[in-house]
Every structure is written in structure tokens, then in C-alpha cells.
């Protein structure tokens, strides 16, 4: 018995179980992507083997807590025992709770909901009037995936287990009769598109067998199939079942707000009346991040009917909520206290580094909200009358002569032009200066060209398109496309006119071929064709001012949509149409004849018009000025270059110091710290400035989160490890890598509006903590890689051993902070999810891979409890390899797996070549370091 307990409560068992949980969840995300959510649930998430692994992990954890007497160390006991409480709460939710969907139309009172989980429902009616009902809670894995077979997927293993798990044979006895239901097949028609497919069963009664196909429905009533067996009518249905609530809800009004001038929802809400069992009633407003609590039921604003006359509410009956929340609280408290506890591993490592002048620790940052409220100041003005005289257009010998004129004369007018307000297609109000920069960045990859800023260039494109169509400013990369267009291979830019011949678009066939090619099969040529085509379309829309939604409609004050100049002149009526046409034609004409003084006056009139007619939504002049200042500073691209340069210098310097023990690094480290602190301060300023301009925390999209990960990586170096030159250089490299990635052409730096569910303080808390952990993990990965290089050269250099140990301590401390942050952030995300849409965890691919990352890094930090694995080489190698889970969480899910957190659409893009190169390089480095691995902790 003792041997069994020794095995059950050993750390080897812990690591094995954690690895099993991580691998199972990771594989399940790919099963879900190819076979649908139901298949992943049946084969993994809700399967007995995975639940057994969770139970064994809980038992193992409880045994280790008891054997190691963890209660002697309060922080360690608190966060380890909290996992037990969380798993108990999750079990109660899993087996005692249930979820559903309630749909209500305006004016309707509803006390019924559909279960979220599907049921096979059997209704039997006999001619004598008797009836029988039987239901089976069933969810099926896709046993046949036709689309997958067509695409060449190896579906054999999944289909084998699916058939085994799906198979059922039920006998329903009634009135001395026996109705038999026998499983045949469950088919998903399209890869990853359907959570539920078609269930086929054999129905046998009185010796007669009929095959029935039942289309499944989740969250709504299934399609009933009626079979007549003479004296017995059998109705089969596969889908959600109706559940009656002990109270009713009346929808008084459904309200949907959109971003100004956009179809994108800003928020939506349901005004309801709750009628209780005791006859009492009360009114309540349900909207995103505001839940209705009625008894044990929670109602969440989930969706709405397309005609906007009805609401869709998610319903959750969750008896495990409070044990789970208590577990989350104790987990967070324990992990924070662990960073301060003198008995913790974190402080043991800190004490080991004291002799190395380890920096004082700052464990948490306090972030505060910074919001910008729109306000407008009314201005009165009179609209001038444009000259009706024929405009004389000045001719230029070549575009260069025209550009030289713009350099000399257009600056003041271009600056005024940039101060005007424009409305994006998604409804964001911003200065034209921002739009001009976005246009030029898309066209050329630059924010200025020909010694002209973006405002001057776009102003010229609008006023003199016949000149700018011959200006070489559209970026092109592949030699093959250059050859196709008949231009020199050394050129980086083409002119708009060069893709037209005899009035025909010569890329028409090429773009058709490229867009119809699967993304996974597209090469650099096809990608360049698509990008050039996009740039040409943007240039064309700029020539015609189609992108400039800058005129509010005074004839339609209910609408907040602004129109571009052409649409405004065609849509507006009466005096408004005359005024707008006068301003537009007057401004363009004065620009064409280069009457800059009067052109500036027309811009003043347009600005006054915008502020008077669009006063409800136009940003204040201060907000416009702030955003233009932010654009001019353009701090993040500059920081990228600075990080790359400083990181390279610091890395070379740190290796010189490491390999030459005679050099004392104290002054060098101090200088490096000061430089990095200045860059960090600039980075912090830039993030804060973007926060003020956007009106929300700057980590809501890919570009912003990459900036934030870079910031957290530098934060780790500056605050925690500032006395280690190698750690500082590693933190700069982390920042440089992520900043460089953020400024790749495929990532859009544009500031955007938030979707409704992200309008919550949970965005700031959950995302900031979770994403910050990536910086610490990135720092650990870089430190680990640098340590592997030291391992390669440690033979006959005994002084390197102390350096490796020193760096390994820093690596492990960074891992502890990172794991604490990602765990707290992930579980706070569970609270946000539960408070926003009624479930902590939906096994969405991104949150699943975040869970996988937590488990993997927990394994890395617990490897030291296995004697043979307790050495610097193992920890170093593990810290490098474990970062692949972060890359999968952040990038892989976005582009290769579908889900609510995913940015991907359509077929997955091919894996970039750099991934193979980096992977090979890392494996070769580990192999080279392996021969010198024997260094004791």
C-alpha cells in the first residue's frame, strides 16, 4: 500500500499527469478545428479519461500538500490548495449545473428556455391514446468528415475512437412492446463549421426497422422526425430540449447602439420585467458585462434577432460558482504573497543573488483608467460662394517639378487639412492626419516620401490625381511580379499608371488566380499580387476622396453617419447641398490653381461646418491636436530601431564581459541600465499617450498587445534584474523582437473601436496581467538561449559555471513571475467570461492554449523536484522550449485555429520559413550544449 501511495503522491506522477492534461488539451484544439466542437468534447474535454486525469491530479496534489506539510508556508499552501477548491467547484458546475438559451421578442413574456446540451428525445404515441417519453443526454463526435477526407486528412484514428464512443443501443419498453434505437453514424457536413451534424439511427419496432436521419441543433429545437408503425407513432428529435423556469421574463424593449456612421454594434441591451413566483415583479436592464441574477439563475446578454426586435439571453444555473470564485481569490492572494514570502522559492533565489547585487524587487504595477470623453464647441460661420470662373490648371513638365512646388508652398494648408475630422468605416472619429498616414503607410510602407509628409501627399493625390498616378510610390517586392509588369528588378515602387495598358488592368488575371488559390498554397508572388492590388485600390479611392467621410448631414440629424465629398454632394438637399458643394469645389479649385491662402480659408469653413453640424460626435480640438502630436512623434517605430541597436550592443558587451573575467561589469551594467531605463520611460509614455487617444487600454488588438509584451519584457529587466548585464540585454532583445514583429506590414497599427464585450474594466485587468506574463516568458526564453551558448563554451572555462548558475537563478525567477501572472490573468479572465456570458471556460482554442501554457510552465518549474532533472541545463532547455506554447497561444491560434479569440478567417496560412529556421537553430544549439550539460544546481 505504501508503494502505491509513494507512486501516487510522487512528483514524477505530478509531472506525468500535468503532461497528459497539456497534451490532451492541445491535441483537442486541432480536433475541434477539423471536426467541430462536439468531437473535441466527446473525445477529450468531457471524456472519462480526461476527467479521471483531473481527479488524479487533484488527489496527487492533496497528497503532496499533506506529505510536504505545506501549511507551514502559508503562501505556498494557499495557492496550491486553491487549485483543489477550484477543481471541486468546477466539478459541481460540470455535473450539477446547466446552461441554456432564451429568446424573447419585444412585448413577449417567456418562461421557457432551450438547454445548451443536446438530447435524443423519443416521444411514443399509441392509437389508444397512451404516450411515453424518453430522453438521452447525448453529444457525438464526428465519425465521418467528408470534407476532411477530400482534403486528404488522415481521419482514421479520430473516426475509430468516435465510432467506439458514439455507439449506443437502447431498448425502450412500453405496453409489453420493445422499441430499439441503434446508432449508425454521426456526420459533420463541413470541416469546423458545425458544432452539431446529422445523427443516423435504426429504429426497430414489431420487427420493422426504419433508418432515421436527425439534423442536430444546439441551443434551439431540433427537427422532429415522425415514423408510423401502424398502431404506434414514434417521434424522434435530436437537439436542445425545452426547460421551464419558475418565473417569467418580459422583454419591454431591445436597444442596439452602433458606432457613429457604422454598422458595428457599440452596445446592446434588453429592458426586461421579471415576474417572480410570488407575484412580485421588477424591472432590470441587461447588457454586456451586466448580468441579471434571479435565484440560482443568471441571464447574460448574448445576441439579438436580425430585425433588432428580439433578444437572445444566455442562461446559467451554476451551483459551483462560489467555491470556484473562492478558489480564484485564494489562488490570486497566494501567488501574490508567494512573491513576498521569505520562505518561498522566489526569495531563496533572490538571496542567492544578493551577493551579485541583485536589484530590489517591485512586484506589481498599479494601472489606472484613462478615458477620453468627446465634447464639441459650437462655432457660427457663413459659407462663402465659390467662384464660377473656369479654373486654369497649371501644367508641369514632370511629377518632380510638381512635387518641388508642394515642398515649397503646401505645408501650412496641408497642416490645416490634417486637422479636419474624418469618420472611419468602423465609426471611429479621428483627424484626417491619421487617415493620411494610414493611406501612405499602406501604399508605400512609409509615413513620408519625397520630403513631403502624408498630409501633403494625400492632398496632392486628391487635387491632382492626373499627376500622382505617374508617381512611383506603390510598394512592390517580388522580382517575378516586376518582370511581369516589365519594370527593372531593382525598383521598389511602381506608379499607378504602370498597371494599366490601353485602358485595361493588366493584373486582372493574376489577381484572380492569386485570390482563388488556397492561402496555404500561395507563394510570395501570389501574396505580392494581392497586396499590390489592395494598394492600387486604396490609391484609386484616395484619388476620388472615397475614404474621406468628413461631412455630417444636417438634413438627417438622427443619423451619425458622415459622408465623403462625392456622396455628400449627391445626397444632401437644399442649402446644405449648396453649402457643401461650394466648400468642396472651392477648396479643390483653389488647390489646383495653387491659391494657398484661399484654400486655407475654405478649410476653416469646412472645420466650422463639421463642428456645428457634427457637434454630437466630433472630438474636441484638444483631442484632435493630441492625436496629431502622437502621429508626429511616431514613437514606436523609433523605439523599435533603438531596441534593435541597443540590444545588439548590449549583447556583444555582455558576452565580452562574461568571457573575460578580468573585466568588472559594474559601470558597464549601470550605463546599460540607464540607457534601457530611458527607453522604457519613452515606451511607457507612448503606451499611455495611445491609451488617452484611443480611450481604452492599449492592448485590445494584435499591434497593441505586441507593444505591451515588449513593454513588459523591458519592465522585467529594468525593475527586477537591473544589476545583471546579460539579463538586461536579454530584456532588450525580447522588446526588439516583439516590436519588430508589431511593425511588420501584415499587422495593422490602426487605433480601432472596441467590440461591446470588451467595454469592461476586466479588459484592463485580465489582458494586462495575462499579456505581461508573455514578456517574462520571452525574457526567460532569451536568457535560456544565451545560457545554452555559455554551456557550449564552458569546457575549460570554470568561471563560466558561476555565470551560468547566476543567470539560471534569474531565469527561474522570471519564470515564477511569468507563471504567477499568466495564472492570475487567466483565472481572472474566467471571472470576466462568467460575468459577461455565463461560463468560465468554453475550451476556446486561445484560452485552451493559455491553459496549456500554464500547465507546461508549471512542469518546467517543478522539474527540480525530480533529482535527475534538477540541474541548470534542464531548466535552461525547458525554458526555451516552453516558449513555443506562448507562441502557439499568441500567434498559432490566431492564424491556424478558429475560435472567438481568433483573427483568422478561411483556410490557415502556411507556416513561415523563419519558423523552421529558428526551430532548427534552437535544436542545433541545444544539441551542441548537451555534451557540457553536467553542471549541478
Amino acid at each position: 500500500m505504501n508503494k502505491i501511495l509513494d507512486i501516487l503522491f510522487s512528483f514524477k506522477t505530478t509531472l506525468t499527469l500535468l503532461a497528459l492534461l497539456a497534451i490532451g488539451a492541445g491535441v483537442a484544439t486541432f480536433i475541434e478545428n477539423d471536426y467541430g466542437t462536439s468531437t473535441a468534447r466527446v473525445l477529450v474535454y468531457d471524456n472519462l479519461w480526461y476527467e479521471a486525469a483531473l481527479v488524479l491530479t487533484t488527489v496527487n496534489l492533496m497528497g503532496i500538500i499533506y506529505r510536504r506539510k505545506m501549511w507551514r508556508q502559508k503562501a505556498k499552501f494557499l495557492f496550491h490548495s486553491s487549485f483543489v477548491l477550484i477543481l471541486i467547484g468546477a466539478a459541481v458546475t460540470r455535473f450539477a449545473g446547466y446552461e441554456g438559451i432564451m429568446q424573447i421578442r419585444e412585448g413577449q413574456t417567456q418562461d421557457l428556455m432551450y438547454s445548451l446540451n443536446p438530447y435524443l428525445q423519443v416521444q411514443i404515441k399509441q392509437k389508444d391514446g397512451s404516450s411515453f417519453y424518453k430522453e438521452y443526454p447525448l453529444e457525438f463526435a464526428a465519425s465521418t468528415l467528408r470534407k476532411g477526407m477530400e482534403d486528404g486528412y488522415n481521419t482514421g484514428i479520430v473516426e475509430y475512437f468516435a465510432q467506439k464512443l458514439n455507439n449506443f443501443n437502447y431498448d425502450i419498453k412500453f405496453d409489453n412492446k420493445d422499441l430499439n434505437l441503434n446508432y449508425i453514424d454521426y456526420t459533420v457536413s463541413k470541416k469546423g463549421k458545425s458544432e452539431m451534424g446529422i445523427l443516423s439511427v435504426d429504429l426497430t419496432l414489431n420487427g420493422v426497422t426504419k433508418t432515421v436521419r436527425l439534423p442536430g441543433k444546439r441551443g434551439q429545437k431540433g427537427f422532429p422526425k415522425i415514423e408510423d408503425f401502424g398502431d404506434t407513432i414514434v417521434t424522434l428529435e435530436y437537439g436542445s430540449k425545452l426547460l421551464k423556469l419558475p418565473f417569467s421574463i418580459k422583454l419591454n424593449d431591445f436597444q442596439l447602439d452602433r458606432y457613429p456612421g457604422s454598422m458595428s454594434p457599440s452596445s446592446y441591451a434588453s429592458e426586461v420585467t421579471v415576474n417572480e413566483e410570488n407575484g412580485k415583479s421588477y424591472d432590470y436592464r441587461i447588457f454586456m458585462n451586466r448580468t441579471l441574477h434571479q435565484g440560482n439563475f443568471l441571464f447574460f446578454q448574448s445576441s439579438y434577432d436580425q430585425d433588432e426586435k428580439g433578444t437572445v439571453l444566455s442562461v446559467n444555473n451554476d451551483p459551483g460558482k462560489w467555491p470556484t470564485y473562492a478558489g480564484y481569490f485564494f489562488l490570486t492572494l497566494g501567488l501574490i504573497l508567494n512573491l513576498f514570502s521569505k520562505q518561498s522559492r522566489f526569495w531563496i533565489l533572490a538571496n542567492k543573488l544578493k551577493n551579485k547585487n541583485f536589484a530590489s524587487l517591485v512586484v506589481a504595477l498599479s494601472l489606472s483608467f484613462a478615458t477620453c470623453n468627446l465634447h464639441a464647441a459650437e462655432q457660427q460661420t457663413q459659407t462663402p460662394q465659390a467662384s464660377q470662373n473656369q479654373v486654369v490648371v497649371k501644367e508641369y513638365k514632370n511629377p518632380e517639378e510638381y512635387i518641388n512646388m508642394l515642398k515649397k508652398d503646401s505645408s501650412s494648408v496641408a497642416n490645416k487639412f490634417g486637422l479636419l475630422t474624418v469618420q472611419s468605416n468602423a465609426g471611429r472619429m479621428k483627424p484626417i492626419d491619421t487617415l493620411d498616414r494610414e493611406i501612405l503607410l499602406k501604399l508605400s510602407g512609409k509615413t513620408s516620401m519625397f520630403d513631403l509628409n502624408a498630409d501633403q501627399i494625400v492632398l496632392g493625390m486628391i487635387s491632382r490625381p492626373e499627376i500622382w498616378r505617374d508617381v512611383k510610390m506603390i510598394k512592390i517586392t517580388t522580382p517575378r511580379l516586376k518582370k511581369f509588369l516589365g519594370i527593372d528588378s531593382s525598383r521598389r515602387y511602381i506608379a499607378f499608371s504602370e498597371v494599366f495598358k490601353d485602358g485595361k488592368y493588366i493584373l486582372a488575371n493574376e489577381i484572380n488566380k492569386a485570390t482563388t488559390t488556397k492561402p496555404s498554397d500561395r507563394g510570395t508572388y501570389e501574396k505580392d499580387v494581392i497586396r499590390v492590388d489592395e494598394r492600387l485600390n486604396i490609391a484609386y479611392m484616395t484619388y476620388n476622396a472615397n475614404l474621406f467621410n468628413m461631412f455630417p448631414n444636417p438634413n438627417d440629424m438622427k443619423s451619425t453617419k458622415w459622408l465623403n465629398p462625392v456622396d455628400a454632394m449627391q445626397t444632401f438637399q437644399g442649402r446644405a447641398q449648396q453649402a457643401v458643394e461650394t466648400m468642396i469645389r472651392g477648396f479643390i479649385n483653389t488647390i489646383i490653381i495653387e491659391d494657398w491662402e484661399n484654400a486655407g480659408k475654405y478649410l476653416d469653413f469646412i472645420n466650422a461646418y463639421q463642428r456645428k453640424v457634427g457637434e454630437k460626435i466630433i472630438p474636441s480640438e484638444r483631442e484632435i491636436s493630441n492625436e496629431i502630436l502622437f502621429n508626429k512623434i511616431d514613437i514606436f517605430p523609433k523605439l523599435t530601431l533603438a531596441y534593435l541597436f541597443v540590444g545588439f550592443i548590449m549583447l556583444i558587451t555582455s558576452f565580452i564581459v562574461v568571457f573575460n573575467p578580468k573585466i568588472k561589469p559594474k559601470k558597464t551594467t549601470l550605463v546599460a541600465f540607464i540607457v534601457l531605463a530611458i527607453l522604457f520611460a519613452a515606451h511607457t509614455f507612448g503606451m499611455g499617450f495611445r491609451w488617452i487617444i484611443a480611450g481604452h487600454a492599449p492592448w485590445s488588438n494584435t499591434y497593441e498587445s505586441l507593444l505591451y509584451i515588449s513593454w513588459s519584457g523591458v519592465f522585467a529587466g529594468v525593475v527586477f534584474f537591473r544589476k545583471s548585464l546579460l539579463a538586461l540585454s536579454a530584456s532588450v532583445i525580447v522588446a526588439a523582437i516583439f516590436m519588430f514583429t508589431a511593425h511588420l506590414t501584415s499587422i495593422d497599427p490602426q487605433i480601432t473601436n472596441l467590440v461591446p464585450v470588451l467595454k469592461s474594466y476586466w479588459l484592463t485587468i485580465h489582458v494586462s496581467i495575462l499579456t505581461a506574463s508573455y514578456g517574462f516568458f520571452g525574457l526567460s526564453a532569451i536568457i535560456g538561449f544565451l545560457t545554452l551558448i555559455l554551456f557550449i563554451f564552458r569546457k575549460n572555462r570554470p568561471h563560466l559555471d558561476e555565470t551560468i548558475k547566476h543567470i539560471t537563478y534569474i531565469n527561474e525567477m522570471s519564470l515564477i513571475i511569468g507563471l504567477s501572472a499568466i495564472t492570475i490573468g487567466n483565472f481572472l479572465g474566467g471571472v470576466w467570461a462568467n460575468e459577461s456570458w455565463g461560463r468560465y471556460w468554453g475550451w476556446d482554442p486561445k484560452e485552451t492554449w493559455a491553459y496549456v501554457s500554464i500547465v507546461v510552465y508549471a512542469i518546467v518549474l517543478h522539474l527540480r523536484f525530480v533529482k535527475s532533472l534538477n540541474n541548470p541545463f534542464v531548466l535552461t532547455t525547458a525554458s526555451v522550449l516552453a516558449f513555443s506554447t506562448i507562441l502557439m497561444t499568441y500567434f498559432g491560434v490566431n492564424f491556424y485555429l478558429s475560435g472567438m479569440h481568433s483573427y483568422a478567417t478561411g483556410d490557415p496560412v502556411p507556416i513561415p520559413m523563419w519558423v523552421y529556421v529558428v526551430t532548427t537553430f534552437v535544436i542545433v544549439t541545444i544539441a551542441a550544449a548537451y555534451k557540457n550539460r553536467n553542471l549541478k544546481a
Side-chain angles (χ1 to χ4, degrees):
M1 185 65 182
N2 288 334
K3 288 185 178 180
I4 295 175
L5 292 178
D6 288 341
I7 294 173
L8 182 60
F9 299 146
S10 72
F11 278 102
K12 288 183 179 179
T13 302
T14 304
L15 298 178
T16 303
L17 288 170
L18 290 176
L20 184 64
L21 292 174
I23 293 170
V27 170
T29 60
F30 290 95
I31 293 174
E32 178 181 4
N33 188 64
D34 290 344
Y35 295 89
T37 303
S38 296
T39 306
R41 288 181 180 277
V42 171
L43 294 181
V44 183
Y45 303 136
D46 294 343
N47 197 285
L48 179 61
W49 76 266
Y50 202 78
E51 292 174 345
L54 286 168
V55 171
L56 285 174
T57 304
T58 306
V59 173
N60 171 269
L61 179 57
M62 293 171 66
I64 289 177
I65 289 173
Y66 175 77
R67 286 196 164 192
R68 297 183 69 86
K69 297 180 175 58
M70 282 190 190
W71 51 85
R72 294 177 179 176
Q73 300 179 39
K74 294 180 181 178
K76 185 182 292 186
F77 174 71
L78 199 60
F79 76 77
H80 278 92
S81 59
S82 68
F83 284 108
V84 177
L85 188 57
I86 290 170
L87 289 169
I88 291 172
V92 173
T93 298
R94 165 82 170 85
F95 296 106
Y98 57 90
E99 299 176 71
I101 298 292
M102 175 181 278
Q103 293 180 286
I104 321 175
R105 300 287 292 175
E106 284 186 347
Q108 180 185 10
T109 301
Q110 183 65 270
D111 63 354
L112 298 173
M113 73 173 190
Y114 284 102
S115 66
L116 189 64
N117 292 329
Y119 290 79
L120 175 60
Q121 301 169 71
V122 185
Q123 181 75 40
I124 304 172
K125 290 185 178 181
Q126 299 195 92
K127 289 189 175 179
D128 62 6
S130 60
S131 63
F132 302 87
Y133 175 79
K134 192 73 174 178
E135 66 182 30
Y136 303 93
L138 293 172
E139 189 156 21
F140 298 98
S143 57
T144 303
L145 189 65
R146 295 173 184 170
K147 181 68 168 59
M149 295 296 286
E150 292 170 3
D151 289 347
Y153 289 104
N154 182 5
T155 60
I157 296 176
V158 173
E159 290 190 0
Y160 173 78
F161 285 107
Q163 288 285 0
K164 292 288 185 182
L165 293 169
N166 288 345
N167 192 42
F168 66 79
N169 191 301
Y170 297 130
D171 286 321
I172 303 175
K173 299 187 182 297
F174 64 98
D175 283 354
N176 297 320
K177 295 180 181 179
D178 190 352
L179 176 66
N180 179 262
L181 278 80
N182 185 45
Y183 170 82
I184 297 177
D185 188 28
Y186 180 78
T187 305
V188 177
S189 57
K190 291 184 179 180
K191 179 187 70 173
K193 297 295 183 183
S194 175
E195 286 191 353
M196 299 184 68
I198 298 175
L199 172 64
S200 298
V201 299
D202 274 346
L203 193 62
T204 303
L205 180 64
N206 300 329
V208 177
T209 299
K210 297 185 178 183
T211 299
V212 183
R213 289 167 58 83
L214 301 169
K217 284 286 184 180
R218 182 188 293 276
Q220 55 183 295
K221 184 178 175 61
F223 296 106
K225 295 287 186 176
I226 301 173
E227 297 296 336
D228 191 344
F229 289 88
D231 59 345
T232 305
I233 303 295
V234 179
T235 303
L236 294 180
E237 185 178 321
Y238 181 56
S240 299
K241 70 173 183 177
L242 277 173
L243 299 173
K244 187 173 177 61
L245 300 174
F247 53 89
S248 64
I249 297 177
K250 180 182 179 181
L251 177 63
N252 301 314
D253 184 34
F254 177 77
Q255 300 167 357
L256 175 66
D257 296 326
R258 302 184 189 278
Y259 283 109
S262 168
M263 293 302 292
S264 302
S266 171
S267 66
Y268 38 90
S270 300
E271 298 281 358
V272 301
T273 299
V274 180
N275 302 305
E276 300 179 300
E277 289 180 277
N278 56 14
K280 295 181 179 179
S281 63
Y282 63 90
D283 295 331
Y284 196 83
R285 179 179 173 84
I286 307 172
F287 55 89
M288 277 293 183
N289 303 307
R290 188 168 190 253
T291 306
L292 167 63
H293 296 254
Q294 176 60 33
N296 290 328
F297 292 90
L298 289 83
F299 294 82
F300 311 85
Q301 185 64 62
S302 174
S303 184
Y304 53 91
D305 294 343
Q306 292 301 308
D307 62 359
E308 300 175 19
K309 297 295 183 181
T311 188
V312 179
L313 303 176
S314 295
V315 189
N316 189 14
N317 188 315
D318 180 16
K321 174 181 176 178
W322 293 115
T324 303
Y325 277 15
Y328 290 174
F329 173 76
F330 290 127
L331 172 70
T332 303
L333 181 62
L335 287 172
I336 293 174
L337 292 177
N338 183 61
L339 297 176
F340 292 96
S341 172
K342 301 294 184 179
Q343 298 173 308
S344 70
R345 175 69 176 173
F346 187 78
W347 273 91
I348 290 172
L349 294 167
N351 288 330
K352 289 183 178 182
L353 289 170
K354 275 186 177 179
N355 295 330
K356 301 290 185 178
N357 294 319
F358 176 68
S360 60
L361 299 177
V362 178
V363 180
L365 281 180
S366 299
L367 296 176
S368 60
F369 285 105
T371 57
C372 293
N373 296 319
L374 297 179
H375 61 278
E378 181 175 344
Q379 297 184 23
Q380 300 291 336
T381 184
Q382 292 183 350
T383 306
Q385 295 296 318
S387 173
Q388 300 299 318
N389 297 331
Q390 186 175 1
V391 176
V392 179
V393 180
K394 184 176 180 179
E395 299 293 335
Y396 288 93
K397 297 177 183 178
N398 51 57
E400 288 75 17
E401 186 180 357
Y402 174 74
I403 288 172
N404 288 331
M405 180 277 298
L406 284 181
K407 290 179 191 177
K408 181 181 177 182
D409 301 327
S410 68
S411 179
S412 60
V413 170
N415 290 339
K416 272 191 176 184
F417 180 63
L419 283 168
L420 296 178
T421 303
V422 68
Q423 186 182 71
S424 74
N425 290 331
R428 180 174 178 263
M429 310 301 295
K430 57 188 178 184
I432 282 182
D433 179 81
T434 298
L435 177 60
D436 291 345
R437 289 171 59 86
E438 291 168 356
I439 290 171
L440 188 57
L441 193 63
K442 279 282 189 181
L443 294 179
S444 65
K446 297 182 177 182
T447 54
S448 64
M449 294 184 79
F450 319 117
D451 292 330
L452 299 173
N453 62 35
D455 293 329
Q456 291 174 297
I457 291 175
V458 172
L459 190 62
M461 292 175 70
I462 293 173
S463 59
R464 299 295 299 270
E466 77 281 1
I467 294 177
W468 281 93
R469 68 192 304 274
D470 294 324
V471 176
K472 299 176 180 63
M473 59 180 298
I474 296 171
K475 189 175 180 180
I476 184 171
T477 56
T478 57
R480 182 179 167 187
L481 183 55
K482 295 175 185 178
K483 184 178 180 181
F484 178 84
L485 293 174
I487 65 174
D488 190 88
S489 60
S490 62
R491 279 177 51 183
R492 298 176 57 195
Y493 302 97
I494 60 172
F496 184 86
S497 59
E498 289 183 288
V499 295
F500 293 91
K501 188 175 182 180
D502 299 328
K504 293 184 179 180
Y505 183 37
I506 59 180
L507 285 180
N509 291 333
E510 299 301 302
I511 187 62
N512 184 57
K513 293 176 185 176
T515 53
T516 54
T517 301
K518 284 176 57 178
S520 57
D521 294 333
R522 289 174 190 165
T524 54
Y525 173 73
E526 286 79 13
K527 293 176 185 176
D528 199 25
V529 169
I530 293 172
R531 290 185 188 126
V532 169
D533 179 74
E534 179 189 16
R535 292 171 189 139
L536 292 167
N537 278 290
I538 291 172
Y540 179 77
M541 288 188 286
T542 304
Y543 298 146
N544 294 291
N546 286 342
L547 299 173
F548 294 82
N549 300 321
M550 50 190 292
F551 290 101
N553 187 354
N555 298 321
D556 184 11
M557 298 306 293
K558 292 182 180 180
S559 173
T560 55
K561 181 172 178 58
W562 290 21
L563 303 180
N564 64 51
V566 175
D567 289 344
M569 288 189 291
Q570 295 176 350
T571 303
F572 291 0
Q573 297 176 352
R575 295 180 61 187
Q577 192 274 337
Q578 295 174 3
V580 168
E581 184 171 358
T582 299
M583 286 187 290
I584 294 170
R585 296 191 185 281
F587 172 64
I588 295 298
N589 289 344
T590 52
I591 291 294
I592 291 175
I593 65 175
E594 299 169 19
D595 182 0
W596 304 107
E597 183 178 350
N598 282 319
K601 292 179 180 179
Y602 276 106
L603 288 176
D604 292 335
F605 296 140
I606 295 174
N607 183 51
Y609 174 87
Q610 287 185 331
R611 298 217 159 266
K612 181 178 180 181
V613 181
E615 61 180 346
K616 291 182 179 179
I617 61 173
I618 193 171
S620 68
E621 292 182 353
R622 182 180 181 83
E623 288 170 324
I624 292 293
S625 298
N626 281 342
E627 186 161 345
I628 291 175
L629 176 61
F630 179 76
N631 294 338
K632 288 181 178 179
I633 295 174
D634 202 17
I635 191 168
F636 296 121
K638 294 182 177 71
L639 275 173
T640 302
L641 296 175
Y643 281 140
L644 287 169
F645 176 75
V646 172
F648 178 76
I649 298 297
M650 287 177 61
L651 184 62
I652 298 298
T653 305
S654 63
F655 270 104
I656 292 173
V657 171
V658 167
F659 281 96
N660 191 342
K662 294 180 181 180
I663 300 177
K664 295 183 178 181
K666 190 172 182 179
K667 290 185 178 179
T668 306
T669 304
L670 179 61
V671 171
F673 166 73
I674 292 172
V675 172
L676 189 55
I678 293 171
L679 294 178
F680 177 69
H683 199 151
T684 304
F685 168 78
M687 295 289 288
F689 205 169
R690 187 175 174 105
W691 190 332
I692 292 171
I693 291 167
H696 57 75
W699 41 74
S700 62
N701 58 35
T702 304
Y703 177 79
E704 291 177 345
S705 59
L706 285 169
L707 297 181
Y708 182 63
I709 294 172
S710 303
W711 179 90
S712 64
V714 181
F715 167 77
V718 169
V719 176
F720 289 90
F721 311 119
R722 64 173 180 254
K723 293 299 175 73
S724 170
L725 183 60
L726 201 59
L728 284 174
S729 63
S731 66
V732 182
I733 292 170
V734 169
I737 290 172
F738 280 98
M739 289 287 278
F740 180 76
T741 304
H743 292 92
L744 295 175
T745 55
S746 58
I747 296 178
D748 193 347
Q750 186 175 341
I751 297 174
T752 56
N753 290 323
L754 290 178
V755 296
V757 74
L758 295 182
K759 291 186 173 182
S760 168
Y761 57 87
W762 286 110
L763 172 70
T764 306
I765 300 171
H766 159 62
V767 179
S768 62
I769 296 174
L770 186 69
T771 310
S773 70
Y774 297 168
F776 284 93
F777 289 140
L779 178 61
S780 290
I782 296 297
I783 289 176
F785 185 77
L786 297 178
T787 308
L788 287 173
I789 294 175
L790 296 182
F791 264 104
I792 295 173
F793 296 102
R794 67 176 281 258
K795 191 173 182 179
N796 300 323
R797 291 182 177 88
H799 67 279
L800 289 184
D801 291 354
E802 283 302 311
T803 301
I804 290 174
K805 290 180 181 179
H806 170 70
I807 294 298
T808 305
Y809 298 153
I810 294 176
N811 191 347
E812 189 173 351
M813 292 182 71
S814 185
L815 288 172
I816 291 171
I817 299 172
L819 182 59
S820 300
I822 194 174
T823 304
I824 293 171
N826 213 48
F827 282 103
L828 287 176
V831 176
W832 180 16
N834 194 51
E835 293 300 317
S836 294
W837 51 82
R839 60 124 179 100
Y840 315 90
W841 201 264
W843 296 108
D844 175 82
K846 194 154 190 119
E847 63 192 23
T848 301
W849 271 97
Y851 155 70
V852 171
S853 299
I854 292 173
V855 176
V856 167
Y857 276 100
I859 292 173
V860 172
L861 284 174
H862 289 81
L863 288 173
R864 64 188 177 87
F865 291 104
V866 179
K867 188 175 181 180
S868 60
L869 302 177
N870 185 21
N871 61 73
F873 178 79
V874 170
L875 180 70
T876 296
T877 304
S879 68
V880 174
L881 297 179
F883 194 63
S884 62
T885 63
I886 299 298
L887 294 176
M888 183 64 194
T889 303
Y890 193 80
F891 293 107
V893 170
N894 290 346
F895 298 106
Y896 300 102
L897 298 174
S898 60
M900 64 180 295
H901 294 81
S902 176
Y903 306 111
T905 56
D907 295 323
V909 296
I911 298 174
M913 181 56 66
W914 67 263
V915 174
Y916 296 106
V917 173
V918 171
T919 303
T920 303
F921 189 50
V922 169
I923 292 173
V924 169
T925 304
I926 293 172
Y930 180 78
K931 62 182 179 180
N932 296 329
R933 69 189 181 281
N934 294 321
L935 176 64
K936 293 184 178 180

